[in-house]
Amino acid sequence: MAAPSQPQKSTYDVIVIGAGIQGSFTAYHLAQRHKDTLLLEQFLLPHSRGSSHGQSRIIRSAYPQQYYSRMMPDCFRLWQQLEAETGTTLYRQTGLVVLGPPGEPELEACRRSLGVDDFLDAAALAQRFPGFRLQAGQVAVLDSTAGVLFADRALRAVQEVFRRHGGTLRDGEKVLHIQPGATVTVTTTAGVYKAPRLIITAGAWTGAFVEQLGLHLPLQPLRIDVCYWREKQPGSAALGSVSPCFLTLGLREAPHGIYGLPSIEYPGLMKVCHHHGSPTDPEKRDQAPSSAPRPDIAVLSSFISSYLPGLETQPAVMETCLYTNTPDEDFILDRHPKFSNIVIGAGFSGHGFKLAPVVGKLLCELSLGKEPSYNMAHFAITRFPGVLGAAQ
């Protein structure tokens, strides 16, 4: 909750809506630039209603898209900076293996992004990491820089530094209305705030906010099953905490991709998830009946049976998370086409957490009218047809 000592004022340099990892890093960069910043969060912190909760996320250098892989050195540097600022360990290096069929274009692109020459075949992978079993002819790329980000800890850390730099964080305040103009007015359940700049990073709720502003973004919230699978032999070296993270690209058995993290969160349980989910209304996510069919579990069970034989084939623990996908799974990082003092960060499509330090920097730069640190063409609102008509 907002600290009692924080001033109850109504005017700021910038308002940020949404205190997930993207909004929190945006506010962090603004505060470091001495901007008086208000960060609003509709739920009481900490909470598990959005996309930034949970104990772990993968961070990796390997990316098929160059525009992401070019950001990763900066991301690693900024995560390390946050660790130094808070004296908190936020990253554990485990390595990552990217699994796929030979010749798969995205797998080849990952190899190039890492600057490595060779693939690992089934025998080489099994020798290096006995817990993994590739199918005949399949290959893997090793990203030795990759590892696990401690997500909950990271979110607390960035919010701590934001406040330390003079930022104001108010949780338990739902935004009811946004009035655009040279000065933007934001009405919440607890007050009315004004600022010349607004940044919306509201995750699955972003679509509803921008609808108020005449903008129809193709954002689809998905309810994701986050599954943990028990090791058949707890603490075995093959699948214990020394195991790397992994993800799949182009495997017939995993059309939307499968990823996994070693047993760091729950002892003896490996996190393995399908990069796919069911469309949901974020307001009703927790109302889904437990008896609803979950086809993703069958996909995961089959994959584990073939590729991770050291795990039980039924999940021991199941949690949920929200993804907010764009049609191309690239982010939206752009100014509103009509109200240039309103900036939108959305559609992180289940792969945004690791990139949050740079996303926050870019949203900060857009809001302050600075030249962005990276090419923003892939993140423009205008790449989606039909979006601008209602906004003009």
Side-chain angles (χ1 to χ4, degrees):
M1 291 184 290
S5 61
Q6 288 183 317
Q8 301 295 313
K9 65 176 190 173
S10 61
T11 303
Y12 294 85
D13 293 334
V14 193
I15 298 171
V16 180
I17 299 175
I21 196 65
Q22 311 295 350
S24 295
F25 256 116
T26 301
Y28 162 99
H29 285 289
L30 288 162
Q32 289 198 324
R33 287 162 174 76
H34 309 292
K35 299 301 176 184
D36 187 11
T37 305
L38 172 64
L39 177 58
L40 292 170
E41 170 55 47
Q42 65 173 320
F43 300 114
L44 294 172
L45 294 169
H47 70 83
S48 59
R49 299 290 304 279
S51 303
S52 295
H53 67 283
Q55 297 180 54
S56 64
R57 297 289 190 282
I58 293 173
I59 183 170
R60 54 188 163 105
S61 297
Y63 247 108
Q65 302 91 346
Q66 286 189 358
Y67 44 94
Y68 292 123
S69 62
R70 287 173 181 151
M71 294 177 183
M72 288 314 303
D74 204 6
C75 288
F76 276 101
R77 179 186 63 80
L78 287 165
W79 282 116
Q80 291 165 355
Q81 178 179 305
L82 183 62
E83 284 186 316
E85 287 172 320
T86 58
T88 305
T89 299
L90 303 176
Y91 162 69
R92 177 172 178 175
Q93 187 172 357
T94 65
L96 168 122
V97 288
V98 187
L99 315 176
E104 209 287 324
E106 289 196 332
L107 189 64
E108 288 282 355
C110 281
R111 181 186 62 78
R112 290 193 297 272
S113 76
L114 293 169
V116 299
D117 296 327
D118 299 321
F119 291 104
L120 299 173
D121 61 15
L125 183 67
Q127 183 175 16
R128 186 81 175 262
F129 304 114
F132 290 90
R133 180 184 295 164
L134 282 179
Q135 305 306 295
Q138 295 174 349
V139 294
V141 173
L142 175 61
D143 178 353
S144 59
T145 69
V148 175
L149 288 170
F150 301 118
D152 285 341
R153 196 184 300 175
L155 186 60
R156 289 194 300 271
V158 70
Q159 291 169 355
E160 174 191 328
V161 176
F162 166 65
R163 283 170 146 163
R164 196 187 298 166
H165 283 270
T168 301
L169 171 57
R170 298 190 61 80
D171 63 349
E173 287 199 34
K174 186 178 178 66
V175 172
L176 303 175
H177 184 67
I178 300 167
Q179 180 61 48
T183 297
V184 182
T185 302
V186 176
T187 303
T188 75
T189 49
V192 178
Y193 307 99
K194 295 177 182 291
R197 304 174 187 89
L198 173 69
I199 303 173
I200 300 173
T201 52
W205 288 265
T206 298
F209 282 128
V210 300
E211 287 274 352
Q212 293 182 35
L213 303 170
L215 194 58
H216 300 278
L217 296 181
L219 297 171
Q220 177 59 67
L222 298 176
R223 182 180 185 271
I224 304 295
D225 290 320
V226 180
C227 302
Y228 299 83
W229 309 77
R230 193 177 308 281
E231 298 169 12
K232 291 178 179 176
Q233 296 180 349
S236 67
L239 282 165
S241 59
V242 297
S243 173
C245 302
F246 77 88
L247 61 88
T248 71
L249 290 174
L251 286 184
R252 184 176 62 255
E253 304 89 335
H256 298 282
I258 290 173
Y259 64 93
L261 295 83
S263 54
I264 290 175
E265 297 185 38
Y266 301 109
L269 299 182
M270 188 172 181
K271 181 177 179 178
V272 183
C273 307
H274 197 198
H275 192 76
H276 187 56
S278 306
T280 190
D281 177 344
E283 294 290 350
K284 300 176 181 177
R285 186 194 89 176
D286 297 329
Q287 299 175 19
S290 58
S291 59
R294 290 178 164 176
D296 294 334
I297 304 304
V299 171
L300 289 168
S301 295
S302 176
F303 176 85
I304 284 168
S305 179
S306 297
Y307 288 82
L308 296 165
L311 297 180
E312 301 287 352
T313 56
Q314 291 301 313
V317 175
M318 290 180 57
E319 299 172 353
T320 60
C321 189
L322 288 179
Y323 287 0
T324 306
N325 277 29
T326 61
D328 58 12
E329 297 192 354
D330 283 330
F331 310 156
I332 292 171
L333 310 172
D334 204 354
R335 298 182 181 91
H336 190 290
K338 184 175 179 182
F339 310 114
S340 62
N341 60 340
I342 298 177
V343 170
I344 300 159
F348 295 101
S349 303
H351 68 105
F353 199 101
K354 71 184 78 61
L355 286 146
V358 166
V359 165
K361 181 166 72 169
L362 290 169
L363 293 173
C364 170
E365 290 166 346
L366 285 172
S367 182
L368 299 180
K370 307 292 186 184
E371 181 68 23
S373 299
Y374 296 88
N375 186 331
M376 302 296 283
H378 293 281
F379 311 119
I381 288 172
T382 52
R383 74 186 191 269
F384 299 116
V387 169
L388 301 178
Q392 291 175 341

Coordinates of all heavy atoms in Angstrom, one line a residue, residues 60-70 72-73 98 101-119 139-143 145 249:
R60 N 17.3 -14.8 -21.4 CA 18.1 -15.4 -22.4 C 18.6 -14.4 -23.4 O 18.0 -13.4 -23.6 CB 17.3 -16.5 -23.2 CG 16.0 -16.0 -23.8 CD 15.2 -17.1 -24.4 NE 13.8 -16.7 -24.6 CZ 13.3 -16.4 -25.8 NH1 14.0 -16.5 -26.9 NH2 12.0 -16.1 -25.9
S61 N 19.8 -14.7 -24.0 CA 20.3 -13.9 -25.1 C 19.7 -14.4 -26.4 O 19.6 -13.6 -27.4 CB 21.8 -14.0 -25.1 OG 22.4 -13.4 -24.0
A62 N 19.4 -15.7 -26.5 CA 19.0 -16.3 -27.8 C 17.6 -15.8 -28.1 O 16.6 -15.9 -27.4 CB 19.0 -17.8 -27.7
Y63 N 17.5 -15.1 -29.3 CA 16.2 -14.7 -29.8 C 16.2 -14.8 -31.3 O 17.2 -14.5 -32.0 CB 15.9 -13.2 -29.4 CG 14.8 -13.0 -28.5 CD1 15.1 -12.6 -27.2 CD2 13.5 -13.1 -28.8 CE1 14.0 -12.4 -26.2 CE2 12.4 -12.9 -27.9 CZ 12.7 -12.6 -26.7 OH 11.7 -12.4 -25.8
P64 N 15.1 -15.3 -31.9 CA 15.1 -15.4 -33.4 C 15.0 -14.0 -34.0 O 15.6 -13.8 -35.1 CB 13.8 -16.1 -33.7 CG 13.4 -16.8 -32.4 CD 13.9 -16.0 -31.3
Q65 N 14.4 -13.0 -33.3 CA 14.3 -11.7 -33.9 C 15.5 -10.8 -33.4 O 15.7 -10.6 -32.2 CB 13.0 -11.0 -33.4 CG 11.7 -11.8 -33.8 CD 11.3 -12.8 -32.7 OE1 12.1 -13.1 -31.8 NE2 10.1 -13.3 -32.9
Q66 N 16.2 -10.2 -34.4 CA 17.4 -9.4 -34.0 C 17.0 -8.2 -33.2 O 17.8 -7.8 -32.4 CB 18.1 -9.0 -35.3 CG 18.8 -10.0 -36.0 CD 19.7 -9.5 -37.2 OE1 19.7 -8.3 -37.4 NE2 20.4 -10.3 -37.8
Y67 N 15.8 -7.7 -33.4 CA 15.4 -6.5 -32.6 C 15.3 -6.7 -31.2 O 15.4 -5.8 -30.3 CB 14.2 -5.8 -33.2 CG 13.0 -6.7 -33.6 CD1 12.0 -6.9 -32.7 CD2 13.0 -7.2 -34.9 CE1 10.9 -7.7 -33.1 CE2 11.9 -8.0 -35.2 CZ 10.9 -8.3 -34.3 OH 9.8 -9.1 -34.7
Y68 N 15.0 -8.0 -30.8 CA 15.1 -8.4 -29.4 C 16.5 -8.7 -28.9 O 16.9 -8.3 -27.8 CB 14.1 -9.5 -29.1 CG 12.6 -9.1 -29.2 CD1 11.8 -9.8 -30.1 CD2 12.1 -8.1 -28.5 CE1 10.5 -9.5 -30.2 CE2 10.7 -7.7 -28.6 CZ 9.9 -8.5 -29.5 OH 8.6 -8.1 -29.6
S69 N 17.2 -9.6 -29.7 CA 18.5 -10.0 -29.3 C 19.4 -8.8 -29.1 O 20.3 -8.9 -28.2 CB 19.1 -11.0 -30.3 OG 19.2 -10.5 -31.6
R70 N 19.3 -7.8 -29.9 CA 20.1 -6.6 -29.7 C 19.9 -5.8 -28.4 O 20.7 -5.1 -27.9 CB 19.9 -5.6 -30.9 CG 20.5 -6.1 -32.2 CD 20.1 -5.2 -33.4 NE 20.6 -5.6 -34.6 CZ 20.0 -5.4 -35.8 NH1 18.9 -4.8 -35.9 NH2 20.6 -5.9 -36.9
M72 N 19.2 -7.4 -25.6 CA 19.5 -8.3 -24.4 C 20.8 -7.9 -23.6 O 20.8 -7.9 -22.4 CB 19.5 -9.7 -24.8 CG 18.1 -10.3 -25.1 SD 16.8 -9.9 -23.9 CE 17.6 -10.5 -22.4
P73 N 21.9 -7.4 -24.3 CA 23.0 -7.0 -23.4 C 22.6 -5.8 -22.5 O 23.1 -5.8 -21.4 CB 24.0 -6.6 -24.5 CG 23.7 -7.4 -25.7 CD 22.2 -7.5 -25.7
V98 N 17.7 -24.6 -26.6 CA 16.6 -24.3 -27.5 C 16.6 -25.6 -28.4 O 17.5 -25.9 -29.1 CB 16.9 -23.1 -28.4 CG1 15.6 -22.8 -29.2 CG2 17.2 -21.9 -27.5
P101 N 13.8 -28.9 -34.8 CA 14.3 -29.7 -35.9 C 15.4 -29.0 -36.7 O 15.4 -27.8 -36.7 CB 13.0 -29.9 -36.8 CG 12.2 -28.7 -36.5 CD 12.5 -28.3 -35.0
P102 N 16.3 -29.7 -37.3 CA 17.4 -29.0 -38.0 C 16.8 -28.3 -39.2 O 15.8 -28.7 -39.8 CB 18.3 -30.2 -38.5 CG 17.4 -31.4 -38.4 CD 16.4 -31.2 -37.3
G103 N 17.4 -27.1 -39.4 CA 16.9 -26.3 -40.5 C 15.7 -25.4 -40.2 O 15.3 -24.6 -41.0
E104 N 15.2 -25.5 -38.9 CA 14.1 -24.6 -38.5 C 14.6 -23.2 -38.5 O 15.6 -22.9 -37.9 CB 13.6 -25.1 -37.1 CG 12.2 -24.8 -36.8 CD 11.8 -23.3 -36.6 OE1 12.7 -22.6 -36.1 OE2 10.8 -22.9 -37.0
P105 N 13.9 -22.3 -39.2 CA 14.5 -20.9 -39.4 C 14.7 -20.2 -38.1 O 15.7 -19.5 -37.9 CB 13.4 -20.2 -40.3 CG 12.7 -21.3 -41.0 CD 12.7 -22.5 -40.1
E106 N 13.7 -20.3 -37.2 CA 13.9 -19.6 -35.9 C 15.0 -20.1 -35.1 O 15.7 -19.4 -34.4 CB 12.6 -19.6 -35.1 CG 11.5 -18.7 -35.7 CD 10.4 -18.4 -34.8 OE1 10.1 -19.2 -33.9 OE2 9.7 -17.3 -34.9
L107 N 15.2 -21.4 -35.1 CA 16.3 -22.1 -34.4 C 17.7 -21.6 -35.0 O 18.6 -21.3 -34.3 CB 16.2 -23.6 -34.5 CG 17.2 -24.4 -33.6 CD1 16.9 -24.1 -32.1 CD2 17.0 -25.9 -33.9
E108 N 17.7 -21.5 -36.3 CA 18.9 -21.0 -37.0 C 19.2 -19.6 -36.6 O 20.3 -19.2 -36.3 CB 18.8 -21.1 -38.5 CG 18.8 -22.5 -39.1 CD 20.3 -23.0 -39.2 OE1 21.2 -22.3 -38.9 OE2 20.4 -24.2 -39.5
A109 N 18.1 -18.8 -36.5 CA 18.3 -17.4 -36.1 C 18.8 -17.3 -34.7 O 19.6 -16.4 -34.3 CB 16.9 -16.6 -36.3
C110 N 18.3 -18.1 -33.8 CA 18.8 -18.1 -32.4 C 20.3 -18.5 -32.4 O 21.1 -17.8 -31.6 CB 18.0 -19.2 -31.6 SG 16.4 -18.6 -31.0
R111 N 20.7 -19.4 -33.2 CA 22.1 -19.8 -33.2 C 22.9 -18.6 -33.7 O 24.0 -18.3 -33.1 CB 22.3 -21.0 -34.2 CG 23.8 -21.4 -34.3 CD 23.9 -22.5 -35.3 NE 23.6 -22.0 -36.7 CZ 24.3 -21.3 -37.4 NH1 25.5 -20.9 -37.0 NH2 23.9 -20.9 -38.6
R112 N 22.4 -17.9 -34.7 CA 23.2 -16.7 -35.2 C 23.2 -15.6 -34.1 O 24.2 -14.9 -34.0 CB 22.5 -16.2 -36.5 CG 22.8 -17.1 -37.7 CD 22.4 -16.4 -39.0 NE 21.0 -16.0 -39.0 CZ 20.0 -16.8 -39.5 NH1 20.3 -18.0 -39.9 NH2 18.8 -16.4 -39.5
S113 N 22.1 -15.4 -33.4 CA 22.1 -14.4 -32.4 C 23.1 -14.6 -31.3 O 23.6 -13.7 -30.6 CB 20.7 -14.2 -31.8 OG 20.3 -15.3 -30.9
L114 N 23.4 -15.9 -31.0 CA 24.4 -16.3 -30.0 C 25.8 -16.3 -30.5 O 26.8 -16.3 -29.8 CB 24.1 -17.6 -29.4 CG 22.8 -17.7 -28.7 CD1 22.4 -19.2 -28.4 CD2 22.9 -17.0 -27.4
G115 N 25.9 -16.3 -31.9 CA 27.3 -16.3 -32.5 C 28.0 -17.6 -32.3 O 29.2 -17.7 -32.3
V116 N 27.2 -18.7 -32.2 CA 27.8 -20.1 -32.1 C 27.7 -20.8 -33.4 O 26.8 -20.5 -34.2 CB 27.0 -20.9 -31.0 CG1 27.2 -20.2 -29.6 CG2 25.6 -21.1 -31.3
D117 N 28.6 -21.7 -33.6 CA 28.7 -22.3 -34.9 C 28.0 -23.6 -35.0 O 27.5 -24.0 -36.0 CB 30.2 -22.6 -35.3 CG 31.0 -21.3 -35.4 OD1 30.4 -20.3 -35.9 OD2 32.2 -21.3 -35.1
D118 N 27.9 -24.3 -33.9 CA 27.4 -25.7 -33.9 C 26.1 -25.9 -33.1 O 25.8 -25.2 -32.2 CB 28.5 -26.6 -33.3 CG 29.8 -26.5 -34.1 OD1 29.7 -26.5 -35.3 OD2 30.9 -26.6 -33.4
F119 N 25.4 -27.0 -33.6 CA 24.3 -27.5 -32.8 C 24.7 -28.7 -32.0 O 25.7 -29.3 -32.3 CB 23.2 -27.9 -33.8 CG 22.5 -26.8 -34.5 CD1 22.8 -26.6 -35.9 CD2 21.5 -26.0 -33.9 CE1 22.1 -25.5 -36.6 CE2 20.9 -25.0 -34.6 CZ 21.2 -24.7 -35.9
V139 N 17.9 -31.3 -32.9 CA 19.1 -30.6 -32.5 C 18.7 -29.6 -31.4 O 17.6 -29.3 -31.2 CB 19.8 -30.0 -33.7 CG1 20.4 -31.0 -34.6 CG2 19.0 -29.0 -34.4
A140 N 19.8 -29.1 -30.8 CA 19.6 -28.0 -29.8 C 20.7 -27.0 -29.9 O 21.8 -27.3 -30.4 CB 19.7 -28.7 -28.4
V141 N 20.4 -25.8 -29.5 CA 21.4 -24.7 -29.4 C 21.5 -24.4 -27.9 O 20.5 -24.2 -27.2 CB 20.9 -23.5 -30.2 CG1 21.8 -22.3 -29.9 CG2 20.8 -23.8 -31.6
L142 N 22.7 -24.2 -27.4 CA 23.0 -23.9 -26.0 C 23.3 -22.4 -25.9 O 24.1 -21.8 -26.5 CB 24.2 -24.7 -25.5 CG 24.6 -24.3 -24.1 CD1 23.5 -24.6 -23.0 CD2 25.9 -25.1 -23.7
D143 N 22.5 -21.7 -25.0 CA 22.7 -20.3 -24.6 C 23.2 -20.3 -23.2 O 22.5 -20.5 -22.2 CB 21.4 -19.6 -24.7 CG 21.5 -18.1 -24.3 OD1 22.5 -17.7 -23.8 OD2 20.5 -17.4 -24.4
T145 N 24.5 -18.0 -21.5 CA 24.3 -16.7 -20.7 C 22.9 -16.8 -20.0 O 22.7 -16.0 -19.1 CB 24.3 -15.5 -21.6 OG1 23.1 -15.5 -22.5 CG2 25.5 -15.4 -22.5
L249 N 11.3 -24.7 -30.4 CA 10.9 -24.0 -31.6 C 10.7 -24.9 -32.8 O 11.5 -25.7 -33.1 CB 12.1 -23.0 -32.0 CG 12.3 -21.8 -31.1 CD1 13.6 -21.0 -31.6 CD2 11.1 -20.9 -31.1

